[in-house]
Amino acid sequence: MIHSLFLINYTGDIFLEKHWKSVINRSVCDYFFEAKEKALEPENVPPILQTPHHYLINIYRGKLFFLAVIQTEVPPLFVIEFLHKVADTLQDYFGDCSEGVIKDNLVTVYEILEEMLDNGFPLATESNVLQEMIRPPTILRSVVNTLTGGSNVGDTLPTGQLSNIPWRRAGVKYTNNEAYFDVIEEIDAILDKSGSTVFAEIQGVIEACVRLTGMPDLTLSFMNPRLLDDVSFHPCVRFKRWESERVLSFIPPDGNFTLMTYHVSSQNLVAIPVYVKQNISFMETGSCGRLDITIGPKQTMGKTVEGLLVTIHMPKAVLSANLTATQGNYTYDLATKVLVWDVGKLNPQKLPNLRGSLSVQSGAPKPEENPSLNIDMKIQQLAISGLKVNRLDMYGEKYKPFKGVKYLTRAGKFQVRT
Amino acid sequence: MQEWANQLCENRQFGSKMTDSKYFTTTKKGEIFELKAELNSDKKEKKKEAVKKVIASMTVGKDVSALFPDVVNCMQTDNLELKKLVYLYLMNYAKSQPDMAIMAVNTFVKDCEDPNPLIRALAVRTMGCIRVDKITEYLCEPLRKCLKDEDPYVRKTAAVCVAKLHDINAQLVEDQGFLDTLKDLISDSNPMVVANAVAALSEIAESHPNSNLLDLNPQTINKLLTALNECTEWGQIFILDCLANYTPRDDRESQSICERVTPRLSHANSAVVLSAVKVLMKFMEMLPKDLDYYGTLLKKLAPPLVTLLSAEPELQYVALRNINLIVQRRPEILKHEMKVFFVKYNDPIYVKLEKLDIMIRLASQANIAQVLAELKEYATEVDVDFVRKAVRAIGRCAIKVEQSAERCVSTLLDLIQTKVNYVVQEAIVVIKDIFRKYPNKYESVIATLCENLDSLDEPEARAAMIWIVGEYAERIDNADELLESFLEGFHDESTQVQLQLLTAIVKLFLKKPTETQELVQQVLSLATQDSDNPDLRDRGYIYWRLLSTDPVAAKEVVLAEKPLISEETDLIEPTLLEELICHIGTLASVYHKPPSAFVEGSRGVQHKRLPGSAGSGESVESPDTGSAPVASEAPPAVIPSQDLLGDLLNLDLTPTTTTGPPPPSSAMQMGAMDLLGGGLDSLPPVPLRRDTPQSPQPPHQSPSPPDYSPTELGVDLGGSPAMTAGFGAPPTAGPPSFTAPVSGGLDDLFDLGGGVGMPMGAYVPPKTLWLPAMKAKGLEISGTFGRRAGVVQMEMTLTNKAMSVMTDFAIQFNRNSFGLAPAGPLQVLTPVSPNQSIEAVLPLNTVGPVMKMEPLNNLQVAVKNNIDVFYFSCQYPISMLFVEDGKMERQVFLATWKDIPNENESKFQLNDCHLNADAASSKLQGSNIFTIAKRTVEGQDMLYQSMKLTNGIWVLAELRAQAGNPNYTVSLRCRAPEVSQCVFQSYEAVLKN
């Protein structure tokens, strides 16, 4: 099972180590540093490395590497999932998962890690349960603790640990009972030069924020559940009910959680909200090129496209860009060769356009690679797949909760090839 | 309001001062001293702060072990946080201060009785983490109690603790009976306890490969399946992995397990999903294909696999490596999902490369247009490695999907026009393969290729180009000039290019003898006289001799028709694939190697295989047929390998040594197929390809330019570069073939000897069935091993149970523990007609390549006949390796016995042996187990015996026999204790027969 964990920052300093079995010298990380060196970009470090006596499995999150050391055959996905869970938990506890925050809360982090694994076996990984055992630091609590000598470690066994619903603690109480659901869909798409879709799919997720007293039993139903054929659920969802009735029936965890994720990949179901007309060309001779991009609405279901942002990784030889934008601003970063055009809201009456010339290093050959356009955008109050929540019912408790559903569509990996 | 805000602000500052970063600011000097003072402070709060500082230093890797006694003093406290912190410290440093750690024992034992289950669990958990032998003694009693605790939280913690203890002191765990208690916990009422018990048992089982710890039967399976629904995501992973080891009794059980596992495919945790996929992939094998449920299951598998690809890149990578295996085993699952494998430009490079690989596996006539368009797009990306692989992929598509070949070639030509150096070079390498696959079809592009001759600077591309020029010399007007231009820098070229150049010029000469005589002489002299590379020299001499003695034969050999290359060259070899499917989701599946090849500490990992399908009637549980490919769908002529055509051989080229890690077991299959499938078809059955140069039938020279295995003469013979993979056989493989003719001649003599029968011959076990006719298209082989007149023999009965005549028998062994190898070819000279049996005796020697096998005396054999190649494995009695001069001098025996450490001694009990000591002694002597001395003490006979193995290992034995008691005790001492088990088996076999 998982032997040790090292937290390593962007520059390659180990700033935390935790061993669940015998201590492994940090020199084992040298193999990782070697690979990191080779990979140039931190994103490209291979996630699994083999060393003579150990395996190193790492993830890269928020400019930090979480590096697990294992010695025997352990499912690598298990390790990777666990590392992400660690990052999520720290995020939950401290609102951020960065080197600074971790160093500020080092002892708490250490306590959390100890609680999450025992001898390499996961022990308590549900945020709910952990927060009962080790209370997250709050300003008020640290003040009170200093004054009273109290502690931020719970001294009773968390109730969720052993019940059939480990994700929910007992005795939850709220004065305002509320349950909110955000249906968020991301469009991953590749469009080719001519604008036709090479590939498109929707990654959907329903994020929930549930603050309800007691042990509520919720049922969420959809207007069109047939859209969903590829789903993953939070463990709280009763799979049988879904199979037979296509409704989500569950006792929710307390607080924020991801209720389900889904995936719509059938191409004709995926609407592409914008079209992009683009032309980026470089002269065979002479050191310049031209760029002309226009963006317009395509299938937006009558909603407005906002937060439109175009990112282009230019070929290395491009020195500067002299462009005019009819809307928004553009920047060109010389060091990274990234052109960013922040368009903002898409106005269907007056389509935004960016055009002008690019200057290329003189003498350099005509760039071979075609830069791809990366599009960011969001559309409020729309789930582009057409998914709609029908109703939410609560059983098991008497009060009437506030309920709400929000929809949001945004671009995931949305690329236009040139 | 303003006031309130100010207050908040102050609080915030106060709060930020309270963070742990202050622990980093302490100055180095006197730090320890200061902490010591604070730890001994009377104030609780100060104490806690001090311990926190200590922990903070520890987490960043500073050594604070000097504070051990002071920290331990803080342990007796009611404050749970302080207690936890001290425990954290203890776990880290107890090992370095074992005597001090004992001080903590009392507190632990007391805490294990605490009314609060949290504290009981914490105590037992921490105690298990203190890796000090002395403490473990005190741990046993509390642990026993905790395993039976009324609170499941304590029980589940205790379950893990057993695994910890086992890691520290395995013997203790067994002696104390904790393993049985742990097994009982599998039936616990709480699912979390079940999951942890399974996890602990799995971990323990890993270091005990043969113990039957996780004894799975329908009842336990049912319990696990119940717990599966209720435990945490991590517990589900453990349980699913455990389920995957079970072999259902029939297809109905298999189906019912599948039905209960399927809901796990919708879990949010991708590790759960992949473990579920493993169980389903394995159990699916048992379902009849015409069953409706089978189709449903196939459909259900696709969406979760696709979903895995939208997760974080690290998860995607593991998923892709596994999908690569799944597509090879069951392409139908994902055949409509090509698009999800399209590469996004901001995917990490490791994801890109994997996606590309899978795209090619899924490429078919239906989607090839899309795939090609994508690949062309990728070929203009920035990342050089990725671009190269994309170009290669286009070539692989051409070879895989015949209808697309033309489009692929034109795409490649477009890419060559870009003149980007590395793109051009890759394109030329793959075009060479396309020429091989579709001869006389695309040669019109040669002119374009020749234009780029000057820009090639990589050996592989140069070699490919030279091959093309040589192969099509008659169509290239200035072929001689082109080759001559390469010849100028001959000595600076890499071996690969040199060998290719030599062959190409010889081809040219045979095609256009008049103009190129000078050129060929030049290259021959360069190769034979000026080069110190033996491979090059040898090849040069062969050509020279051929050309000078018989130009017609030379033409036949050098310009012989080449075997076609297949698109399947990059597939994983079927038996390995089956094993890997059983290991989906593990490291093995990521590395595409069997776990035995690389997992440290798992001595003798058992090879897992897929259960047979219900319809085929094959027996599922016959370990002996382990290496026989169960999958009959796999076309046998395919020469599988691991990766792109390119980097095949690097794996096997390293010379093996006896102690080296065992290479992937596939080596044997590859090698044998190579030898038998490729080479022998066109040659008379006698000489194998490692023939002496003087042989009248030298290997034909064929042209795959990248000459991967420079140690071999006949390298190119197999055709596809991949075929040479098996030839990883190290140079040690040489001797047997050179001695072959000699011992071949002696065969008959030995046969006679064997026929007459030695009066006190070595024990020869009766023949057993090695290869059932069902698995070998009608060929049945049974056989045994024996040692006759000092020669080890394999005695076989070959029975033809098919309808047609069998001819052209040949045999080959995989590398094995004692280097057994055939000393000559298999002598089956007459064809075997249907229903006929013939006896064949194959003399063996022990100078073959060595690889440690599991079990030690396992031998993997490939037999070829005119129908196919078949594999089986058998075990030989180690007694046949006992040599005749195995009698040790008395004095030497005594000294050696003392010299071998006690832990190398193994004791065995031999039951029901009704021989007296003398009879036993003479019986053993027949098998070269020599009695050196005999002693009788109090009615007990003690025989001291020695034997020597062919590889020079001595085994010393003491045999105790009590008069009237049929049970003997055998104690064996040997410097290589792993042979003891086999030696004892021989004792048993000899004495009982």
Side-chain angles (χ1 to χ4, degrees):
Chain A
M1 293 292 122
I2 300 172
H3 218 107
S4 303
L5 171 74
F6 293 94
L7 294 192
I8 299 167
N9 66 14
Y10 187 77
T11 52
D13 299 319
I14 304 170
F15 65 93
L16 183 137
E17 55 182 283
K18 167 80 186 125
H19 307 275
W20 282 277
K21 293 185 169 187
S22 51
V23 175
I24 291 177
N25 195 293
R26 53 166 69 190
S27 63
V28 74
C29 297
D30 292 350
Y31 295 98
F32 167 77
F33 294 133
E34 205 173 291
K36 180 168 171 271
E37 197 91 332
K38 222 192 264 166
L40 302 173
E41 301 284 327
E43 290 84 7
N44 285 340
V45 181
I48 303 177
L49 300 168
Q50 191 177 1
T51 79
H53 302 286
H54 303 95
Y55 296 91
L56 308 179
I57 298 185
N58 72 83
I59 62 163
Y60 182 65
R61 284 244 327 226
K63 302 216 165 179
L64 294 182
F65 290 99
F66 291 71
L67 179 83
V69 183
I70 58 175
Q71 214 160 9
T72 47
E73 173 72 87
V74 180
L77 274 188
F78 160 89
V79 182
I80 296 172
E81 281 279 3
F82 178 78
L83 292 176
H84 279 293
K85 197 95 193 179
V86 171
D88 290 343
T89 308
L90 297 183
Q91 179 98 31
D92 251 24
Y93 259 81
F94 312 116
D96 185 19
C97 179
S98 66
E99 187 183 356
V101 167
I102 292 175
K103 276 188 170 171
D104 281 350
N105 297 285
L106 205 65
V107 177
T108 313
V109 171
Y110 211 66
E111 284 172 336
I112 293 172
L113 290 176
E114 179 60 27
E115 218 48 68
M116 289 182 84
L117 278 191
D118 176 20
N119 194 38
F121 297 108
L123 195 61
T125 53
E126 285 291 331
S127 198
N128 259 295
V129 173
L130 275 171
Q131 298 202 358
E132 263 184 274
M133 298 227 221
I134 302 156
R135 299 197 184 102
T138 58
I139 300 155
L140 191 66
R141 185 166 299 133
S142 57
V143 176
V144 172
N145 283 351
T146 355
L147 298 179
T148 62
S151 105
N152 61 342
V153 169
D155 53 7
T156 49
L157 190 59
T159 42
Q161 263 292 44
L162 287 162
S163 64
N164 283 342
I165 36 172
W167 54 85
R168 189 174 179 89
R169 60 195 171 98
V172 183
K173 269 211 176 95
Y174 288 103
T175 40
N176 291 329
N177 288 297
E178 44 195 21
Y180 297 116
F181 296 89
D182 288 356
V183 180
I184 302 166
E185 297 193 340
E186 290 193 350
I187 310 170
D188 286 353
I190 303 177
L191 307 183
D192 72 3
K193 270 190 214 55
S194 61
S196 55
T197 313
V198 176
F199 157 83
E201 61 180 15
I202 295 170
Q203 310 288 352
V205 56
I206 300 183
E207 298 282 0
C209 172
V210 178
R211 299 175 190 284
L212 297 173
T213 307
M215 274 288 164
D217 195 333
L218 303 179
T219 305
L220 183 80
S221 63
F222 297 101
M223 306 276 264
N224 39 7
R226 237 174 258 156
L227 271 176
L228 306 171
D229 60 343
D230 182 3
V231 287
S232 318
F233 297 120
H234 188 278
C236 68
V237 175
R238 297 183 180 101
F239 192 72
K240 284 239 167 68
R241 289 282 304 274
W242 171 257
E243 287 269 90
S244 57
E245 301 164 51
R246 298 270 143 178
V247 295
L248 300 181
S249 156
F250 56 98
I251 294 175
D254 184 40
N256 295 322
F257 65 98
T258 303
L259 178 62
M260 72 179 285
T261 60
Y262 58 93
H263 181 94
V264 180
S265 57
S266 167
Q267 207 141 119
N268 37 24
L269 282 176
V270 181
I272 303 293
V274 296
Y275 71 84
V276 180
K277 268 202 264 181
Q278 42 73 28
N279 180 25
I280 301 176
S281 58
F282 297 98
M283 305 300 147
E284 201 63 63
T285 52
S287 50
C288 68
R290 294 210 49 80
L291 180 144
D292 189 343
I293 303 172
T294 310
I295 301 180
K298 205 171 170 188
Q299 296 159 282
T300 59
M301 324 282 169
K303 308 273 185 197
T304 325
V305 178
E306 299 168 16
L308 200 55
L309 188 81
V310 181
T311 315
I312 310 170
H313 285 263
M314 287 292 179
K316 283 200 184 65
V318 176
L319 286 181
S320 66
N322 184 12
L323 309 169
T324 337
T326 60
Q327 183 186 339
N329 305 312
Y330 80 92
T331 52
Y332 181 62
D333 184 342
L334 261 179
T336 54
K337 307 283 179 198
V338 176
L339 177 73
V340 179
W341 177 27
D342 187 350
V343 186
K345 202 180 259 181
L346 182 65
N347 179 357
Q349 267 74 52
K350 194 169 159 287
L351 299 182
N353 168 275
L354 179 73
R355 77 170 77 190
S357 62
L358 304 167
S359 69
V360 180
Q361 200 174 353
S362 60
K366 181 186 165 216
E368 283 308 327
E369 69 264 24
N370 304 325
S372 289
L373 277 59
N374 223 25
I375 312 278
D376 269 323
M377 67 189 141
K378 59 181 179 195
I379 306 170
Q380 304 276 9
Q381 289 313 316
L382 172 73
I384 197 100
S385 68
L387 186 73
K388 276 221 165 69
V389 172
N390 184 20
R391 54 182 296 152
L392 177 75
D393 298 305
M394 188 181 74
Y395 306 92
E397 296 288 336
K398 295 232 161 60
Y399 54 85
K400 272 222 160 9
F402 295 107
K403 299 179 277 194
V405 180
K406 261 198 325 195
Y407 299 91
L408 175 70
T409 295
R410 59 185 178 215
K413 288 185 169 178
F414 194 103
Q415 298 177 1
V416 183
R417 289 177 178 162
T418 60
Chain B
M1 191 67 197
Q2 182 64 40
E3 203 181 49
W4 178 80
N6 279 342
Q7 207 177 346
L8 190 76
C9 235
E10 259 176 48
N11 274 348
R12 196 175 287 279
Q13 276 172 2
F14 190 24
S16 72
K17 270 185 207 148
M18 291 305 301
T19 63
D20 299 347
S21 52
K22 64 176 184 283
Y23 301 134
F24 291 97
T25 56
T26 32
T27 47
K28 191 96 190 146
K29 212 172 178 186
E31 188 183 17
I32 299 280
F33 184 76
E34 246 172 58
L35 283 171
K36 208 178 181 90
E38 283 174 43
L39 283 170
N40 291 316
S41 152
D42 296 335
K43 284 186 194 149
K44 254 189 188 172
E45 197 44 41
K46 201 155 194 185
K47 246 185 194 175
K48 196 165 91 186
E49 281 302 298
V51 177
K52 275 196 177 182
K53 282 184 201 169
V54 173
I55 301 281
S57 305
M58 187 175 89
T59 47
V60 294
K62 284 187 200 161
D63 183 17
V64 282
S65 60
L67 294 166
F68 199 90
D70 308 279
V71 177
V72 172
N73 273 337
C74 305
M75 187 172 166
Q76 286 203 345
T77 168
D78 300 332
N79 185 320
L80 190 62
E81 186 181 18
L82 184 54
K83 197 182 259 295
K84 276 192 170 182
L85 290 171
V86 176
Y87 280 1
L88 279 178
Y89 179 88
L90 266 174
M91 287 185 231
N92 229 14
Y93 288 119
K95 184 112 194 167
S96 57
Q97 313 251 349
D99 295 330
M100 291 294 226
I102 294 289
M103 286 165 47
V105 163
N106 264 335
T107 322
F108 280 126
V109 174
K110 211 176 88 201
D111 282 356
C112 286
E113 309 270 331
D114 198 280
N116 184 344
L118 190 63
I119 295 188
R120 291 204 296 276
L122 185 64
V124 77
R125 187 174 130 203
T126 313
M127 246 173 129
C129 292
I130 296 180
R131 309 174 62 86
V132 175
D133 276 341
K134 282 182 196 157
I135 288 214
T136 52
E137 290 166 25
Y138 297 97
L139 176 60
C140 292
E141 278 322 299
L143 177 59
R144 198 186 315 282
K145 265 186 214 148
C146 288
L147 279 168
K148 304 236 158 87
D149 199 286
E150 53 172 21
D151 193 307
Y153 182 73
V154 181
R155 288 204 299 276
K156 86 171 195 166
T157 314
V160 175
C161 190
V162 176
K164 295 180 196 170
L165 191 58
H166 186 271
D167 193 28
I168 305 167
N169 189 343
Q171 196 57 48
L172 186 72
V173 170
E174 277 168 46
D175 296 346
Q176 296 278 336
F178 286 141
L179 290 182
D180 292 325
T181 324
L182 203 51
K183 278 189 217 165
D184 293 343
L185 287 184
I186 291 188
S187 320
D188 198 280
S189 56
N190 186 296
M192 250 73 82
V193 179
V194 178
N196 273 14
V198 169
L201 280 171
S202 310
E203 187 172 88
I204 294 173
E206 208 168 311
S207 53
H208 273 257
N210 296 320
S211 63
N212 229 350
L213 277 178
L214 280 163
D215 187 19
L216 297 173
N217 54 47
Q219 285 76 39
T220 46
I221 289 294
N222 207 16
K223 280 183 184 128
L224 291 181
L225 285 168
T226 312
L228 181 64
N229 288 327
E230 292 168 7
C231 66
T232 65
E233 49 199 304
W234 315 108
Q236 296 184 12
I237 302 171
F238 298 135
I239 293 181
L240 286 168
D241 285 347
C242 176
L243 278 178
N245 290 329
Y246 178 65
T247 310
R249 288 161 305 174
D250 52 28
D251 51 324
R252 294 202 17 217
E253 189 183 8
S254 185
Q255 178 175 348
S256 89
I257 296 177
C258 285
E259 278 167 358
R260 294 178 70 176
V261 166
T262 320
R264 297 301 121 207
L265 292 176
S266 301
H267 202 286
N269 185 318
S270 57
V272 175
V273 175
L274 202 57
S275 289
V277 169
K278 163 162 61 186
V279 175
L280 296 175
M281 281 295 285
K282 189 177 170 194
F283 288 9
M284 232 162 113
E285 298 285 330
M286 292 193 61
L287 300 178
K289 288 211 166 58
D290 46 359
L291 196 71
D292 284 347
Y293 182 71
Y294 178 84
T296 321
L297 200 54
L298 275 184
K299 274 198 206 103
K300 279 193 174 165
L301 276 169
L305 289 174
V306 171
T307 304
L308 289 179
L309 296 182
S310 51
E312 285 83 359
E314 300 92 5
L315 297 167
Q316 278 187 47
Y317 171 73
V318 178
L320 285 166
R321 291 295 284 173
N322 280 285
I323 289 174
N324 201 328
L325 297 173
I326 294 168
V327 227
Q328 287 186 55
R329 181 76 196 166
R330 298 201 177 276
E332 61 271 32
I333 295 178
L334 287 168
K335 68 177 172 208
H336 299 304
E337 303 289 346
M338 171 61 93
K339 286 191 173 176
V340 299
F341 299 104
F342 285 1
V343 172
K344 291 164 192 141
Y345 86 90
N346 45 3
D347 282 334
I349 181 72
Y350 55 83
V351 168
K352 285 183 180 174
L353 295 177
E354 290 306 317
K355 281 188 173 172
L356 203 51
D357 227 30
I358 295 172
M359 277 173 70
I360 299 176
R361 299 218 189 283
L362 290 176
S364 66
Q365 203 183 336
N367 57 22
I368 193 73
Q370 265 184 332
V371 174
L372 270 183
E374 281 295 304
L375 292 176
K376 200 176 169 189
E377 193 72 41
Y378 304 159
T380 60
E381 280 226 22
V382 196
D383 190 289
V384 177
D385 282 344
F386 181 56
V387 170
R388 282 174 182 272
K389 196 154 178 177
V391 177
R392 285 207 178 206
I394 297 175
R396 279 166 72 183
C397 283
I399 291 168
K400 184 164 182 197
V401 186
E402 184 159 4
Q403 294 79 0
S404 76
E406 196 155 343
R407 295 171 73 159
C408 294
V409 171
S410 75
T411 309
L412 287 169
L413 284 180
D414 285 353
L415 290 172
I416 288 177
Q417 296 305 344
T418 64
K419 303 277 180 200
V420 178
N421 189 283
Y422 52 86
V423 174
V424 173
Q425 309 213 37
E426 285 300 326
I428 286 183
V429 172
V430 294
I431 285 182
K432 174 261 306 171
D433 285 341
I434 296 177
F435 282 170
R436 282 293 309 277
K437 171 81 179 175
Y438 310 108
N440 303 320
K441 226 169 157 187
Y442 300 110
E443 281 72 13
S444 51
V445 308
I446 289 176
T448 323
L449 302 184
C450 289
E451 284 166 22
N452 292 288
L453 213 60
D454 300 332
S455 63
L456 308 179
D457 52 10
E458 289 162 25
E460 200 181 349
R462 285 173 84 84
M465 192 64 219
I466 293 170
W467 178 81
I468 292 172
V469 175
E471 188 64 18
Y472 298 103
E474 67 273 27
R475 306 186 198 194
I476 305 172
D477 293 336
N478 59 343
D480 49 342
E481 283 169 37
L482 293 176
L483 291 176
E484 201 172 354
S485 67
F486 280 104
L487 209 53
E488 281 161 18
F490 189 77
H491 289 299
D492 302 328
E493 300 282 2
S494 72
T495 312
Q496 189 183 7
V497 180
Q498 288 176 336
L499 286 168
Q500 211 40 251
L501 194 53
L502 172 61
T503 307
I505 292 181
V506 172
K507 279 185 199 161
L508 174 70
F509 171 70
L510 289 169
K511 287 173 179 172
K512 302 179 180 173
T514 44
E515 310 114 77
T516 56
Q517 198 149 10
E518 204 173 312
L519 194 60
V520 82
Q521 272 172 358
Q522 202 182 339
V523 77
L524 285 175
S525 88
L526 276 172
T528 54
Q529 285 157 29
D530 299 345
S531 167
D532 45 12
N533 180 333
D535 299 313
L536 187 63
R537 247 183 1 233
D538 287 357
R539 193 186 282 192
Y541 278 125
I542 292 179
Y543 284 142
W544 202 323
R545 193 178 294 254
L546 260 178
L547 292 174
S548 56
T549 49
D550 190 352
V552 181
K555 210 161 190 165
E556 268 171 30
V557 169
V558 179
L559 302 179
E561 202 140 309
K562 287 159 287 296
L564 286 183
I565 57 173
S566 137
E567 81 268 19
E568 312 288 358
T569 41
D570 59 322
L571 289 182
I572 294 175
E573 179 271 321
T575 30
L576 177 63
L577 181 61
E578 282 188 21
E579 192 179 351
L580 290 176
I581 289 285
C582 298
H583 287 285
I584 283 178
T586 65
L587 285 170
S589 70
V590 172
Y591 286 106
H592 291 185
K593 286 182 199 166
S596 51
F598 65 96
V599 175
E600 196 172 280
S602 51
R603 298 138 286 172
V605 175
Q606 285 182 341
H607 288 256
K608 295 185 184 172
R609 37 200 61 264
L610 294 171
S613 88
S616 71
E618 281 170 341
S619 70
V620 179
E621 60 284 284
S622 59
D624 276 351
T625 53
S627 67
V630 179
S632 49
E633 311 97 87
V638 165
I639 297 90
S641 71
Q642 305 243 2
D643 206 344
L644 280 175
L645 304 183
D647 27 49
L648 278 166
L649 283 183
N650 305 340
L651 283 177
D652 276 23
L653 273 177
T654 44
T656 30
T657 55
T658 28
T659 51
S665 65
S666 63
M668 169 247 178
Q669 264 83 6
M670 292 160 86
M673 278 185 180
D674 184 12
L675 278 176
L676 302 173
L680 288 186
D681 286 343
S682 46
L683 289 172
V686 184
L688 290 186
R689 46 186 270 209
R690 250 182 259 124
D691 230 327
T692 50
Q694 289 79 9
S695 156
Q697 294 253 334
H700 26 202
Q701 198 52 46
S702 101
S704 65
D707 227 328
Y708 292 101
S709 166
T711 47
E712 289 296 334
L713 261 180
V715 175
D716 289 342
L717 174 106
S720 144
M723 289 191 132
T724 51
F727 254 82
T732 45
S737 49
F738 284 110
T739 57
V742 186
S743 51
L746 291 177
D747 269 356
D748 298 343
L749 290 180
F750 293 142
D751 268 350
L752 279 180
V756 170
M758 308 285 287
M760 270 310 277
Y763 165 66
V764 177
K767 282 183 180 168
T768 50
L769 183 63
W770 283 342
L771 181 69
M774 209 189 314
K775 290 204 170 175
K777 302 189 179 168
L779 174 66
E780 184 180 281
I781 301 179
S782 56
T784 183
F785 293 89
R787 185 179 184 91
R788 299 195 199 274
V791 173
V792 183
Q793 294 180 346
M794 186 168 173
E795 301 170 9
M796 286 177 286
T797 308
L798 308 174
T799 310
N800 181 353
K801 295 201 169 171
M803 306 302 283
S804 59
V805 176
M806 293 180 178
T807 56
D808 300 344
F809 285 93
I811 193 164
Q812 192 73 23
F813 294 173
N814 190 13
R815 287 183 263 179
N816 52 72
S817 314
F818 293 95
L820 278 175
L826 183 61
Q827 300 282 352
V828 183
L829 298 173
T830 49
V832 187
S833 41
N835 280 326
Q836 189 195 352
S837 286
I838 60 153
E839 303 289 327
V841 176
L842 181 72
L844 309 178
N845 59 30
T846 52
V847 289
V850 171
M851 175 175 84
K852 193 169 167 191
M853 299 296 290
E854 185 64 36
L856 211 58
N857 56 344
N858 195 20
L859 180 68
Q860 296 179 324
V861 183
V863 169
K864 181 224 163 218
N865 62 12
N866 56 330
I867 297 169
D868 208 338
V869 185
F870 311 106
Y871 306 97
F872 61 88
S873 67
C874 50
Q875 294 181 3
Y876 46 89
I878 207 167
S879 61
M880 73 177 196
L881 298 171
F882 296 157
V883 295
E884 281 68 21
D885 61 343
K887 187 160 185 170
M888 220 179 221
E889 290 291 321
R890 270 170 178 246
Q891 294 308 319
V892 183
F893 182 92
L894 267 178
T896 318
W897 182 271
K898 281 185 196 146
D899 206 31
I900 297 175
N902 281 340
E903 56 265 31
N904 278 12
E905 178 169 325
S906 337
K907 271 203 167 63
F908 300 93
Q909 194 76 34
L910 188 66
N911 298 327
D912 293 329
C913 182
H914 299 281
L915 292 169
N916 65 29
D918 292 332
S921 168
S922 64
K923 212 165 179 182
L924 289 167
Q925 179 125 16
S927 293
N928 292 339
I929 300 175
F930 301 97
T931 305
I932 293 165
K934 182 184 167 190
R935 231 164 29 123
T936 308
V937 180
E938 293 166 7
Q940 196 176 33
D941 288 331
M942 286 186 273
L943 297 179
Y944 293 94
Q945 300 173 317
S946 75
M947 62 224 90
K948 182 181 160 191
L949 288 165
T950 43
N951 55 0
I953 293 178
W954 285 92
V955 183
L956 279 53
E958 182 197 63
L959 187 76
R960 287 168 184 256
Q962 187 93 39
N965 183 350
N967 297 342
Y968 285 17
T969 311
V970 185
S971 310
L972 297 173
R973 281 197 179 198
C974 176
R975 290 191 201 280
E978 39 297 29
V979 304
S980 300
Q981 181 67 38
C982 291
V983 171
F984 170 68
Q985 283 165 6
S986 295
Y987 262 88
E988 201 166 22
V990 172
L991 289 176
K992 289 196 178 170
N993 289 287

